[in-house]
Amino acid sequence: MLKVSDLSAGFETETGFLEAVDRVSFRVDDKESLGIVGESGCGKSVTAHSILGLLPQPSGKITGGTISLNGKELATLGEKKLREIRGREVGMIFQEPMTALNPVHPIGRQIAECLRTHGMGKKRQNRDRALELLQKVGIPSPEQRLKEYPHQLSGGMRQRIVIAMALACHPHLLIADEPTTALDVTTQAQILELLAELKESLSMALILITHDLGVIAETCDRVVVMYAGRVVESAPVREIFANPLHRYTAGLLRSIPSLETVPKTRLSTIPGRVPGLAELPVGARFAPRSDHPQIDDYLQSEDFHSKRPDLIEAAPGHWVEDCDYVRTD
Ligand SMILES: Nc1ncnc2c1ncn2[C@@H]1O[C@H](COP(=O)(O)OP(=O)(O)O)[C@@H](O)[C@H]1O
Ligand SMILES: [Mg+2]
C-alpha cells in the first residue's frame, strides 16, 4: 500500500540546509499496522509530514527518495492532489486534538464539514453518518455531543472526535502521530484499544508514531526504530521485544514502565541526548551514546566520520544498522 524508499527531508535555515530525515525506507502493507518509534527529535513527525505533504513551507523540503501510495508517487505531487489524498485515502491524527478542532464550532458541524469537503452525500445523510461515526469511536449519547463544543469535552473525548473525523471518508491508511501522548495513562490505553479495534473492523492500515515502545507492543505488527533521522532497526514487534539487535532499541526497551515497576523506582533512561541537526555524524549516529566496551575506538575511527552504515537483514525480516559498535551482542 505505502512504500517509502530512501526518503530524505529537511529544512532551509539561516545557517543553511539541515537534514532531519536521512534515507528512510519502510513499507506498510494492506491492513497492517506499523509502529515508528524513537525519542523526541528523531525525525518521526518530519517523516509523517513528508508523506502527507505537510512539511512547513517554504522551509521544509523533501530532498530525495520516493513515497508510493497504491502506486501513486506522493513526493512530487502538487498541493491540490495531496489535499485530496489527505482525508480521503489517508487519515491523520496528531498529538494535540485541539489543533484539529475548531473551538468556535460545535462538533457536529465540524464532522459534517469534513464529510462535505470530501463530497460525501447530502446534509441529512451527513448527519446520520456523523452519528454513526461518533458511535463507532465509542462516544456516549452522540446526539447530545453533536451540539457540544470542543472545550466541553475531555481530552480523551476530543481525541475520539478527531479519530471520527479522520475516519469520515473511509481512509485505507491512518497515520497517528503520538495520538495518546497528551492523555493520561487510562485514557491512553482506551484510545489505543480503539485504534486497534477500528483498524480491524475497518480493514485499514495504521502507522502509529510514538516515543514509547510500550505503546507499540499491543497495537502494531511491525516496528521501525528511528534514531537521529535514520532507521536503525526494523522487525516484527514480537522479534523486537524478544531479540533487539541495536543498542538503541535495547535502551528503549529498558525504559518501558511495567506493571511490576515499583512506582518510586526510576526508570532506566538512555544516557545522553539525541544530537541536533547541525551536529550529525556520517557514521552510526547512536555511537556517542553506545555502551559498547570499545566504543572509543569507533568514535576515533575514520569510519565514524565518513562511512554511513547500511541496514543488513540479520534474521528474516529483521533489519539492523550494520555497525558492530552499536549492535547488541
Ligand atoms: N520547522 C522546522 N525547522 C527546523 N527544524 C525542524 C523543524 N521541525 C522539526 N525540526 C527538527 O527536525 C528534527 C526532527 O524533528 P521531528 O520529526 O519533529 O522529531 P520527532 O517527531 O521524532 O520528535 C528535530 O531535530 C527538530 O528540531
Ligand atoms: Mg513528533
Side-chain angles (χ1 to χ4, degrees):
M1 153 168 299
L2 177 73
K3 189 159 185 276
V4 174
S5 310
D6 277 330
L7 175 71
S8 296
F11 302 96
E12 211 63 72
T13 70
E14 282 170 11
T15 52
F17 185 79
L18 294 176
E19 189 170 68
V21 167
D22 179 18
R23 290 168 55 189
V24 161
S25 301
F26 57 84
R27 51 183 285 176
V28 188
D29 295 332
D30 273 353
K31 301 176 197 175
E32 188 186 35
S33 65
L34 177 78
I36 301 182
V37 71
E39 289 162 291
S40 174
C42 283
K44 307 181 299 294
S45 294
V46 172
T47 302
H49 292 161
S50 300
I51 295 171
L52 298 163
L54 289 176
L55 288 177
Q57 292 306 315
S59 66
K61 278 195 184 62
I62 293 177
T63 50
T66 56
I67 303 166
S68 159
L69 177 73
N70 293 319
K72 269 190 296 280
E73 176 50 46
L74 302 189
T76 49
L77 211 60
E79 172 56 25
K80 187 156 169 273
K81 287 260 162 58
L82 276 169
R83 206 175 307 141
E84 274 171 35
I85 284 174
R86 291 197 294 265
R88 180 163 284 188
E89 288 182 55
V90 183
M92 44 193 173
I93 312 167
F94 299 104
Q95 177 169 336
E96 181 36 70
M98 278 314 276
T99 53
L101 295 171
N102 187 330
V104 302
H105 294 316
I107 301 300
R109 176 160 164 198
Q110 300 192 48
I111 300 181
E113 194 102 333
C114 167
L115 289 165
R116 200 156 45 234
T117 344
H118 292 281
M120 311 285 285
K122 302 234 167 55
K123 213 167 178 187
R124 171 86 222 173
Q125 286 167 325
N126 281 351
R127 192 191 143 75
D128 293 346
R129 176 99 177 98
L131 278 174
E132 185 194 320
L133 282 165
L134 291 190
Q135 269 150 9
K136 205 169 263 169
V137 297
I139 290 186
S141 29
E143 292 269 0
Q144 177 61 32
R145 296 296 180 188
L146 286 180
K147 293 179 230 136
E148 291 181 350
Y149 291 82
H151 73 264
Q152 295 174 281
L153 306 171
S154 68
M157 281 298 153
R158 279 185 211 142
Q159 198 60 299
R160 283 176 196 264
I161 303 281
V162 174
I163 295 172
M165 286 165 65
L167 298 179
C169 306
H170 308 286
H172 305 298
L173 170 67
L174 185 64
I175 301 183
D177 188 357
E178 310 258 11
T180 61
T181 304
L183 307 173
D184 65 76
V185 180
T186 315
T187 316
Q188 206 176 80
Q190 289 164 355
I191 295 289
L192 288 174
E193 200 172 311
L194 172 67
L195 284 176
E197 254 170 51
L198 289 170
K199 177 190 122 24
E200 286 304 316
S201 64
L202 304 177
S203 305
M204 284 184 305
L206 173 69
I207 298 181
L208 179 65
I209 297 177
T210 172
H211 62 278
D212 179 355
L213 204 40
V215 158
I216 286 189
E218 308 272 319
T219 327
C220 298
D221 307 315
R222 268 185 320 118
V223 55
V224 164
V225 181
M226 282 188 73
Y227 185 75
R230 290 180 183 161
V231 173
V232 295
E233 182 164 10
S234 83
V237 167
R238 227 173 299 129
E239 173 75 12
I240 280 273
F241 276 79
N243 189 24
L245 294 180
H246 200 286
R247 283 170 194 261
Y248 182 56
T249 313
L252 291 176
L253 280 169
R254 281 194 297 271
S255 55
I256 299 175
S258 79
L259 288 176
E260 293 87 59
T261 315
V262 187
K264 287 226 173 85
T265 53
R266 279 181 63 183
L267 274 172
S268 142
T269 51
I270 308 167
R273 57 171 188 89
V274 180
L277 300 185
E279 45 180 11
L280 296 172
V282 180
R285 291 178 172 172
F286 184 66
R289 298 171 74 186
S290 170
D291 51 4
H292 187 282
Q294 280 105 42
I295 192 63
D296 289 338
D297 296 349
Y298 179 60
L299 293 175
Q300 269 137 47
S301 71
E302 180 55 29
D303 275 2
F304 179 58
H305 298 287
S306 62
K307 189 168 171 285
R308 183 193 200 278
D310 293 323
L311 286 175
I312 50 161
E313 193 169 17
H318 193 159
W319 295 77
V320 64
E321 201 172 39
D322 185 17
C323 169
D324 290 343
Y325 296 93
V326 293
R327 296 267 302 269
T328 58
D329 276 311

